[in-house]
């Protein structure tokens, strides 16, 4: 009885091993056949998230990674190459069998434009963006009165200018918490006393913020704007906020 049982177990093992080998052989043959027919060769790369950059620009960056098996695509390397473009903050890449690669791109959004010889833009992290046709139609504030030494603005990196970084913090505060005013800002400048001054697009109204306590002052300005009712900030020629917890408003004469 014991001997028969042992023989049955051995037979099962043989059958199981044979089936496993047959499965592996079939799978190997299928993969070889698929490779032969180039089933897994990447023939479509889909992009999403592109608003500023042209698709052709990104395609050119990874052209040497095309025409290879989807299994061989190094997604980390591809993402690194794409993210080397200053306008691209992050790239998320995924495989879609049998032969598609999908790339979701997160672009850097220009927050302001530097008043320099070439139209350099800058995002909410104070990263300098290179000259691009987008600058011609971008409705974003201009930064003027700042040190325009070129070595302070390396493309694709944070600016080295402390004052510009502070200006970006001001615009970030407006964009996130006071978008109505951000949309009306034509220029953010430094005057001869190194005081921050906002110039609105209409008329134009000047808002002198001074050198310090900028964020609390913006909150006061927002409350003042809300209290105006039907009137607008642009009904005033000057809004002087250099004095502690005070806002001096001068109307157009």
């Amino acid at each position: 009885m014991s001997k028969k049982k042992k023989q049955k177990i051995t037979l099962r093992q043989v059958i199981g091993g044979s089936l496993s080998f047959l499965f592996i052989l079939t799978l190997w043959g299928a993969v070889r056949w698929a490779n032969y027919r180039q089933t897994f060769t990447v023939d479509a790369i889909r992009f999403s998230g592109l608003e500023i950059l042209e698709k052709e620009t990104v395609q050119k960056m990874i052209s040497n990674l095309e025409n290879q098996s989807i299994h061989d695509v190094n997604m980390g390397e591809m993402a690194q190459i794409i993210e080397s473009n200053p306008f691209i903050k992050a790239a998320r890449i995924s495989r879609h069998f049998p032969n598609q690669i999908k790339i979701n791109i997160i672009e850097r959004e220009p927050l302001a434009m530097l008043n320099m010889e070439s139209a350099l833009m800058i995002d909410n992290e104070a990263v300098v963006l290179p000259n691009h046709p987008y600058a011609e139609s971008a409705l974003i504030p201009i930064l003027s009165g700042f040190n325009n030494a070129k070595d302070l603005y390396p493309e694709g990196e944070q600016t080295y200018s402390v004052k510009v970084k502070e200006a970006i913090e001001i615009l970030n505060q407006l964009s996130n918490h006071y978008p109505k005013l951000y949309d009306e800002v034509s220029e953010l400048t430094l005057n001869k006393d190194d005081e921050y001054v906002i110039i609105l697009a209409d008329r134009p109204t000047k808002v002198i913020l001074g050198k310090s306590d900028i964020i609390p002052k913006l909150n006061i300005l927002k409350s003042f704007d809300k209290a105006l009712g039907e009137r607008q900030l642009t009904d005033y020629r000057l809004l002087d906020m250099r004095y502690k917890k005070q806002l001096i408003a001068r109307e157009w004469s």
Side-chain angles (χ1 to χ4, degrees):
M1 185 73 179
S2 176
K3 190 173 182 180
K4 288 183 179 180
K5 185 176 181 182
K6 187 176 181 181
Q7 288 177 343
K8 287 183 180 179
I9 294 173
T10 303
L11 184 60
R12 287 176 182 173
Q13 289 176 339
V14 170
I15 294 173
S18 299
L19 290 175
S20 298
F21 176 77
L22 183 61
F23 174 78
I24 294 171
L25 184 63
T26 302
L27 181 62
W28 177 81
V31 171
R32 288 293 299 265
W33 177 250
N35 286 335
Y36 177 75
R37 297 190 60 187
Q38 297 185 334
T39 301
F40 294 122
T41 298
V42 176
D43 72 348
I45 298 180
R46 310 295 183 192
F47 295 93
S48 62
L50 289 173
E51 299 291 339
I52 298 175
L53 292 177
E54 301 78 12
K55 182 176 70 173
E56 293 73 20
T57 300
V58 185
Q59 281 180 324
K60 188 175 180 181
M61 297 174 67
I62 57 174
S63 59
N64 63 325
L65 299 178
E66 295 177 344
N67 300 321
Q68 59 179 284
S69 170
I70 193 171
H71 298 286
D72 297 331
V73 173
N74 188 324
M75 295 191 293
E77 179 186 1
M78 184 179 283
Q80 190 175 15
I81 291 172
I82 293 173
E83 290 169 2
S84 67
N85 187 296
F87 277 97
I88 297 177
K89 188 173 184 178
R92 298 170 182 168
I93 302 172
S94 57
R95 295 186 181 97
H96 292 263
F97 290 93
N99 55 11
Q100 286 192 11
I101 297 289
K102 292 188 178 180
I103 303 176
N104 179 37
I105 290 175
I106 301 174
E107 292 180 317
R108 293 189 177 277
E109 298 182 14
L111 189 71
M113 189 179 304
L114 294 161
N115 187 16
M116 300 180 66
E117 292 181 7
S118 58
L120 295 179
M121 295 176 287
I122 191 163
D123 80 341
N124 62 351
E125 295 179 346
V127 172
V128 179
L129 306 176
N131 189 15
H132 187 276
Y134 178 82
E136 298 175 6
S137 59
L139 298 177
I140 53 178
I142 294 173
L143 299 180
S144 64
F146 298 87
N147 189 333
N148 60 2
K150 290 185 179 181
D151 57 355
L152 291 176
Y153 307 101
E155 294 181 4
E157 300 179 27
Q158 269 197 344
T159 176
Y160 297 128
S161 170
V162 174
K163 286 295 184 182
V164 169
K165 286 181 180 178
E166 290 177 355
I168 290 299
E169 288 182 12
I170 293 172
L171 293 178
N172 262 326
Q173 179 72 14
L174 292 178
S175 179
N176 294 329
H177 303 289
Y178 196 177
K180 174 188 172 184
L181 182 59
Y182 172 78
D183 291 339
E184 295 175 357
V185 174
S186 170
E187 188 174 347
L188 175 58
T189 185
L190 281 176
N191 63 17
K192 59 182 180 60
D193 297 317
D194 271 354
E195 297 170 331
Y196 290 102
V197 180
I198 292 175
I199 301 176
L200 303 185
D202 293 338
R203 303 199 73 169
T205 297
K206 286 186 177 182
V207 182
I208 304 177
L209 296 172
K211 297 180 180 180
S212 59
D213 300 323
I214 304 298
I215 303 305
K217 290 175 181 176
L218 292 177
N219 292 331
I220 292 172
L221 182 62
K222 185 177 181 180
S223 298
F224 175 74
D225 186 15
K226 187 176 180 179
L228 287 176
E230 295 183 0
R231 301 195 70 184
Q232 304 291 328
L233 292 179
T234 50
D235 290 334
Y236 298 90
R237 175 175 59 87
L238 178 68
L239 297 170
D240 193 341
M241 305 188 69
R242 288 175 291 185
Y243 310 100
K244 190 173 182 180
K245 296 182 180 180
Q246 292 186 42
L247 187 155
I248 299 174
R250 298 179 184 175
E251 297 187 3
W252 295 94
S253 55

